[in-house]
Amino acid sequence: ANPQGPSNNSSLVMSLQFHLGKVSFISCPKLLGHVAETVKRLHVPPKRCYGFILEFQGDIFMYYGLQNFYQNHRRYVISRSDAQLLGRNVNRSYCTPFTTYRNGTPMAPCGAIANSMFNDTIDLFYNLNSSAIQVPVLKTGNSWWTDKNVKFRNPESYNLSSAFAGTARPPYWHKPVYLLDEEDERNNGYVNEDLIIWMRVSAFATFRNLYRRVKRIRQFADGLPAGNYTFRISYNFPVTKFKGRKHVILSTVVWSGGSNPFLGIAYVVSGTAATLTGFVITAIHLKLRKKKTYFQK
């Protein structure tokens, strides 16, 4: 065996460890920070009608954000029926306490998550020459493909109203599930994308969900042209009971996503850990080498 093998291997490990730390600690955060600076984002306060001036180019995403809303509470997280959301007629015991009404009528969909679904209506208008042009938006294509095509399905029937016959809407809803989107049958019932996105709960009390995407047609083909815009919001989702706040976000995206410092922070932490590990390995290597030299004498 080559006596220099272990020494070379140790040097290689230490070199790789320090290079990994350098890349993670310096290069990646700097790159991600530069990319994130190109993302444009606008936070709109919770007002029913809010005007502003902006210009966004490219694909534009509209989010709603909530603060102090704890979706990660254990009883809340388990209060749902995945089998029901697949269109099956099953036991809804997991949906407690939003399972059935006192007269025995089952709720569709059942559970605390579905019952608390965000239901504000948000419209964006472009003010041009004393006229308000509603910005066209896309209601579909916003959820994960697996959710839309695998995890959510409507009960089989010749129409949706008959499919949900014998059920009732959750207590906090203003309309039954089969009327969530009367304009598009493919976005109605359990496969409604607003419902699908809401059912994917957040791990944190402050979060945002994708609400709409700007449809790039006519004068909005390149994004939102420079000008004056107005948000008109129908308030249906109460936040005062849990001392929360809500807001609307307009944002562009880049290859790394939106303007989010998480990746940069993660790389700094991992880079620091890799660098410290490199120093520890170096110290151990030097200590063992001294012992080896002592015994050889």
Side-chain angles (χ1 to χ4, degrees):
N2 183 2
Q4 296 299 320
S7 177
N8 291 337
N9 289 339
S10 300
S11 301
L12 178 62
V13 170
M14 288 186 290
S15 176
L16 289 174
Q17 199 73 28
F18 281 115
H19 277 84
L20 177 62
K22 180 180 178 181
V23 170
S24 299
F25 187 75
I26 300 175
S27 304
C28 288
K30 188 179 293 186
L31 173 63
L32 290 171
H34 174 72
V35 170
E37 288 178 356
T38 64
V39 176
K40 291 185 177 181
R41 185 169 59 176
L42 172 74
H43 282 258
V44 177
K47 296 181 179 179
R48 295 182 184 273
C49 187
Y50 185 84
F52 52 92
I53 298 174
L54 59 72
E55 179 183 9
F56 280 4
Q57 298 294 321
D59 293 329
I60 301 163
F61 297 78
M62 185 189 300
Y63 301 85
Y64 62 85
L66 291 175
Q67 296 178 5
N68 205 39
F69 191 93
Y70 290 85
Q71 284 191 313
N72 56 0
H73 193 285
R74 182 179 178 275
R75 291 186 63 185
Y76 181 88
V77 171
I78 64 175
S79 183
R80 60 184 293 164
S81 173
D82 291 324
Q84 184 197 43
L85 295 172
L86 278 170
R88 300 171 185 169
N89 186 15
V90 295
N91 184 2
R92 302 175 181 86
S93 58
Y94 291 108
C95 293
T96 304
F98 300 99
T99 305
T100 60
Y101 285 95
R102 292 182 179 179
N103 61 3
T105 304
M107 299 178 190
C110 66
I113 304 176
N115 183 58
S116 61
M117 176 181 165
F118 184 85
N119 59 350
D120 279 2
T121 302
I122 306 169
D123 295 310
L124 178 61
F125 290 87
Y126 176 43
N127 302 313
L128 180 65
N129 299 328
S130 301
S131 61
I133 303 172
Q134 186 167 2
V135 177
V137 293
L138 297 169
K139 297 184 291 184
T140 58
N142 301 324
S143 63
W144 292 18
W145 186 92
T146 51
D147 287 350
K148 179 76 171 182
N149 297 278
V150 178
K151 296 183 179 180
F152 292 80
R153 294 177 186 172
N154 285 320
E156 294 183 1
S157 184
Y158 61 91
N159 61 48
L160 271 184
S161 60
S162 63
F164 290 99
T167 65
R169 59 178 174 81
Y172 292 171
W173 284 29
H174 298 283
K175 60 177 70 174
V177 65
Y178 56 86
L179 294 180
L180 288 179
D181 189 349
E182 300 179 66
E183 298 176 356
D184 187 355
E185 189 75 14
R186 297 169 298 177
N187 190 44
N188 209 355
Y190 292 151
V191 295
N192 176 264
E193 297 207 17
D194 290 337
L195 173 63
I196 292 173
I197 291 172
W198 179 258
M199 295 300 293
R200 182 174 286 276
V201 298
S202 171
F204 304 100
T206 298
F207 61 92
R208 68 180 187 180
N209 284 335
L210 182 59
Y211 181 71
R212 298 289 185 264
R213 291 177 295 130
V214 172
K215 189 175 183 180
R216 298 176 63 176
I217 58 173
R218 299 190 295 273
Q219 62 261 57
F220 307 105
D222 296 324
L224 295 178
N228 185 278
Y229 292 82
T230 303
F231 268 121
R232 295 179 187 173
I233 304 173
S234 299
Y235 274 28
N236 300 311
F237 190 84
V239 295
T240 54
K241 289 184 178 180
F242 57 88
K243 298 180 181 179
R245 291 179 62 86
K246 54 185 176 180
H247 51 271
V248 181
I249 305 164
L250 281 178
S251 177
T252 59
V253 296
V254 290
W255 60 267
S256 61
S259 179
N260 191 337
F262 175 78
L263 276 179
I265 295 172
Y267 274 114
V268 169
V269 172
S270 61
T272 303
T275 303
L276 291 176
T277 303
F279 281 117
V280 172
I281 293 174
T282 301
I284 295 173
H285 173 68
L286 293 175
K287 186 177 181 179
L288 293 177
R289 189 170 64 177
K290 287 181 179 179
K291 285 186 177 181
K292 181 179 180 181
T293 304
Y294 173 80
F295 284 115
Q296 285 178 345
K297 292 181 178 178

